[in-house]
Amino acid sequence: MIANHPEREQLRLENVLFALGNPLRLEIVQTLASQGEQACGLLRRDVAKSTMTHHWRVLRDSGVIWQRPQGRENLISLRREDLDARFPGLLDTLLQVMENR
């Protein structure tokens, strides 16, 4: 695994909310929630690789995603179980609001 994945008990609400406070990161979370684990290249869209690397680092360091190497790519998945355990209802509420906008 890539370094800087906090343990479940280390997840802090203010870090998660900061990570989710960006529209592109919210789109990434929504994609992962609906489609499951994705290669980083599939999540990139029309954004510079360095910019996406920054967004993935923010999401990873806050505990929102898991990132693991697979060949030349990194696979990214949502830490739904950990987020639901630490902050019950937060992710479901967020995803529902995203659907309704």
Side-chain angles (χ1 to χ4, degrees), residues 15-33:
N15 295 342
V16 171
L17 292 176
F18 173 78
L20 298 175
N22 176 279
L24 181 56
R25 293 193 291 260
L26 279 174
E27 282 184 41
I28 292 168
V29 168
Q30 188 175 26
T31 300
L32 293 173

Side-chain angles (χ1 to χ4, degrees), residues 40-101:
C40 60
L42 295 175
L43 294 169
R44 193 164 147 212
R45 300 184 178 65
D46 294 330
V47 178
K49 186 176 180 180
S50 60
T51 301
M52 290 307 298
T53 298
H54 165 74
H55 289 300
W56 293 320
R57 188 184 78 240
V58 171
L59 288 166
R60 184 187 66 235
D61 290 351
S62 67
V64 175
I65 64 168
W66 288 114
Q67 198 172 6
R68 66 181 181 90
Q70 172 93 13
R72 298 181 70 190
E73 287 269 14
N74 283 318
L75 296 180
I76 299 172
S77 58
L78 189 59
R79 290 182 65 175
R80 184 174 197 109
E81 186 176 308
D82 291 334
L83 291 168
D84 287 346
R86 287 285 288 154
F87 314 111
L90 176 67
L91 196 54
D92 288 333
T93 300
L94 174 71
L95 292 170
Q96 185 177 20
V97 168
M98 296 272 303
E99 266 185 37
N100 295 331
R101 56 177 187 150

